[in-house]
PDB file of all heavy atoms in Angstrom:
ATOM      1  N   LEU Z 213      93.688 105.723 110.115  1.00  0.00           N
ATOM      2  CA  LEU Z 213      94.199 104.693 111.034  1.00  0.00           C
ATOM      3  C   LEU Z 213      94.449 105.250 112.428  1.00  0.00           C
ATOM      4  O   LEU Z 213      94.831 104.514 113.333  1.00  0.00           O
ATOM      5  CB  LEU Z 213      95.491 104.090 110.471  1.00  0.00           C
ATOM      6  CG  LEU Z 213      95.325 103.239 109.201  1.00  0.00           C
ATOM      7  CD1 LEU Z 213      96.669 103.009 108.513  1.00  0.00           C
ATOM      8  CD2 LEU Z 213      94.672 101.897 109.540  1.00  0.00           C
ATOM      9  N   GLY Z 214      94.294 106.557 112.579  1.00  0.00           N
ATOM     10  CA  GLY Z 214      94.386 107.129 113.915  1.00  0.00           C
ATOM     11  C   GLY Z 214      95.443 108.201 114.091  1.00  0.00           C
ATOM     12  O   GLY Z 214      95.589 108.741 115.193  1.00  0.00           O
ATOM     13  N   ALA Z 215      96.189 108.537 113.034  1.00  0.00           N
ATOM     14  CA  ALA Z 215      97.207 109.580 113.182  1.00  0.00           C
ATOM     15  C   ALA Z 215      96.538 110.942 113.340  1.00  0.00           C
ATOM     16  O   ALA Z 215      95.635 111.286 112.579  1.00  0.00           O
ATOM     17  CB  ALA Z 215      98.133 109.591 111.967  1.00  0.00           C
ATOM     18  N   ASP Z 216      96.992 111.708 114.348  1.00  0.00           N
ATOM     19  CA  ASP Z 216      96.493 113.075 114.516  1.00  0.00           C
ATOM     20  C   ASP Z 216      97.238 114.011 113.592  1.00  0.00           C
ATOM     21  O   ASP Z 216      96.770 115.096 113.279  1.00  0.00           O
ATOM     22  CB  ASP Z 216      96.713 113.527 115.977  1.00  0.00           C
ATOM     23  CG  ASP Z 216      95.960 112.631 116.949  1.00  0.00           C
ATOM     24  OD1 ASP Z 216      94.724 112.700 116.970  1.00  0.00           O
ATOM     25  OD2 ASP Z 216      96.617 111.828 117.655  1.00  0.00           O
ATOM     26  N   LEU Z 217      98.440 113.573 113.213  1.00  0.00           N
ATOM     27  CA  LEU Z 217      99.343 114.426 112.437  1.00  0.00           C
ATOM     28  C   LEU Z 217     100.153 113.518 111.531  1.00  0.00           C
ATOM     29  O   LEU Z 217     100.497 112.402 111.938  1.00  0.00           O
ATOM     30  CB  LEU Z 217     100.264 115.107 113.451  1.00  0.00           C
ATOM     31  CG  LEU Z 217     101.213 116.185 112.989  1.00  0.00           C
ATOM     32  CD1 LEU Z 217     100.400 117.425 112.633  1.00  0.00           C
ATOM     33  CD2 LEU Z 217     102.184 116.511 114.140  1.00  0.00           C
ATOM     34  N   VAL Z 218     100.461 113.990 110.334  1.00  0.00           N
ATOM     35  CA  VAL Z 218     101.276 113.189 109.416  1.00  0.00           C
ATOM     36  C   VAL Z 218     102.433 114.052 108.947  1.00  0.00           C
ATOM     37  O   VAL Z 218     102.236 115.192 108.504  1.00  0.00           O
ATOM     38  CB  VAL Z 218     100.453 112.712 108.194  1.00  0.00           C
ATOM     39  CG1 VAL Z 218     101.297 111.792 107.315  1.00  0.00           C
ATOM     40  CG2 VAL Z 218      99.180 111.995 108.641  1.00  0.00           C
ATOM     41  N   VAL Z 219     103.661 113.524 109.074  1.00  0.00           N
ATOM     42  CA  VAL Z 219     104.848 114.260 108.627  1.00  0.00           C
ATOM     43  C   VAL Z 219     105.678 113.342 107.725  1.00  0.00           C
ATOM     44  O   VAL Z 219     105.435 112.139 107.638  1.00  0.00           O
ATOM     45  CB  VAL Z 219     105.702 114.759 109.821  1.00  0.00           C
ATOM     46  CG1 VAL Z 219     104.920 115.724 110.698  1.00  0.00           C
ATOM     47  CG2 VAL Z 219     106.223 113.590 110.651  1.00  0.00           C
ATOM     48  N   GLY Z 220     106.682 113.974 107.062  1.00  0.00           N
ATOM     49  CA  GLY Z 220     107.453 113.205 106.096  1.00  0.00           C
ATOM     50  C   GLY Z 220     108.878 112.911 106.528  1.00  0.00           C
ATOM     51  O   GLY Z 220     109.577 112.140 105.862  1.00  0.00           O
ATOM     52  N   SER Z 221     109.342 113.500 107.637  1.00  0.00           N
ATOM     53  CA  SER Z 221     110.754 113.323 108.018  1.00  0.00           C
ATOM     54  C   SER Z 221     110.950 113.701 109.486  1.00  0.00           C
ATOM     55  O   SER Z 221     110.049 114.262 110.123  1.00  0.00           O
ATOM     56  CB  SER Z 221     111.635 114.256 107.172  1.00  0.00           C
ATOM     57  OG  SER Z 221     111.315 115.611 107.491  1.00  0.00           O
ATOM     58  N   GLY Z 222     112.162 113.412 109.984  1.00  0.00           N
ATOM     59  CA  GLY Z 222     112.506 113.779 111.355  1.00  0.00           C
ATOM     60  C   GLY Z 222     112.477 115.289 111.543  1.00  0.00           C
ATOM     61  O   GLY Z 222     112.068 115.780 112.596  1.00  0.00           O
ATOM     62  N   GLU Z 223     112.924 116.009 110.528  1.00  0.00           N
ATOM     63  CA  GLU Z 223     112.926 117.479 110.569  1.00  0.00           C
ATOM     64  C   GLU Z 223     111.495 117.998 110.732  1.00  0.00           C
ATOM     65  O   GLU Z 223     111.225 118.878 111.554  1.00  0.00           O
ATOM     66  CB  GLU Z 223     113.537 117.990 109.251  1.00  0.00           C
ATOM     67  CG  GLU Z 223     114.110 119.378 109.295  1.00  0.00           C
ATOM     68  CD  GLU Z 223     115.266 119.499 110.274  1.00  0.00           C
ATOM     69  OE1 GLU Z 223     116.252 118.742 110.153  1.00  0.00           O
ATOM     70  OE2 GLU Z 223     115.150 120.346 111.178  1.00  0.00           O
ATOM     71  N   GLU Z 224     110.584 117.407 109.964  1.00  0.00           N
ATOM     72  CA  GLU Z 224     109.177 117.834 110.061  1.00  0.00           C
ATOM     73  C   GLU Z 224     108.576 117.431 111.401  1.00  0.00           C
ATOM     74  O   GLU Z 224     107.740 118.151 111.955  1.00  0.00           O
ATOM     75  CB  GLU Z 224     108.357 117.216 108.914  1.00  0.00           C
ATOM     76  CG  GLU Z 224     108.635 117.858 107.574  1.00  0.00           C
ATOM     77  CD  GLU Z 224     107.786 117.247 106.453  1.00  0.00           C
ATOM     78  OE1 GLU Z 224     106.657 116.782 106.705  1.00  0.00           O
ATOM     79  OE2 GLU Z 224     108.293 117.237 105.314  1.00  0.00           O
ATOM     80  N   LEU Z 225     109.024 116.289 111.934  1.00  0.00           N
ATOM     81  CA  LEU Z 225     108.541 115.863 113.264  1.00  0.00           C
ATOM     82  C   LEU Z 225     109.001 116.873 114.309  1.00  0.00           C
ATOM     83  O   LEU Z 225     108.218 117.301 115.169  1.00  0.00           O
ATOM     84  CB  LEU Z 225     109.073 114.461 113.592  1.00  0.00           C
ATOM     85  CG  LEU Z 225     108.683 113.885 114.953  1.00  0.00           C
ATOM     86  CD1 LEU Z 225     107.168 113.701 115.085  1.00  0.00           C
ATOM     87  CD2 LEU Z 225     109.386 112.535 115.203  1.00  0.00           C
ATOM     88  N   LEU Z 226     110.276 117.280 114.216  1.00  0.00           N
ATOM     89  CA  LEU Z 226     110.816 118.270 115.148  1.00  0.00           C
ATOM     90  C   LEU Z 226     110.014 119.571 115.056  1.00  0.00           C
ATOM     91  O   LEU Z 226     109.605 120.139 116.078  1.00  0.00           O
ATOM     92  CB  LEU Z 226     112.293 118.519 114.807  1.00  0.00           C
ATOM     93  CG  LEU Z 226     113.024 119.545 115.661  1.00  0.00           C
ATOM     94  CD1 LEU Z 226     113.133 119.066 117.100  1.00  0.00           C
ATOM     95  CD2 LEU Z 226     114.426 119.811 115.091  1.00  0.00           C
ATOM     96  N   ALA Z 227     109.770 120.015 113.822  1.00  0.00           N
ATOM     97  CA  ALA Z 227     109.035 121.274 113.618  1.00  0.00           C
ATOM     98  C   ALA Z 227     107.621 121.183 114.195  1.00  0.00           C
ATOM     99  O   ALA Z 227     107.059 122.187 114.627  1.00  0.00           O
ATOM    100  CB  ALA Z 227     108.977 121.605 112.127  1.00  0.00           C
ATOM    101  N   ALA Z 228     107.080 119.950 114.209  1.00  0.00           N
ATOM    102  CA  ALA Z 228     105.712 119.761 114.732  1.00  0.00           C
ATOM    103  C   ALA Z 228     105.715 119.507 116.238  1.00  0.00           C
ATOM    104  O   ALA Z 228     104.688 119.130 116.807  1.00  0.00           O
ATOM    105  CB  ALA Z 228     105.041 118.614 113.996  1.00  0.00           C
ATOM    106  N   GLY Z 229     106.882 119.623 116.888  1.00  0.00           N
ATOM    107  CA  GLY Z 229     106.925 119.479 118.345  1.00  0.00           C
ATOM    108  C   GLY Z 229     107.561 118.197 118.831  1.00  0.00           C
ATOM    109  O   GLY Z 229     107.714 117.987 120.022  1.00  0.00           O
TER     110      GLY Z 229
END
Side-chain angles (χ1 to χ4, degrees):
L213 291 164
D216 299 290
L217 187 71
V218 184
V219 298
S221 65
E223 203 62 56
E224 286 181 30
L225 179 63
L226 179 65

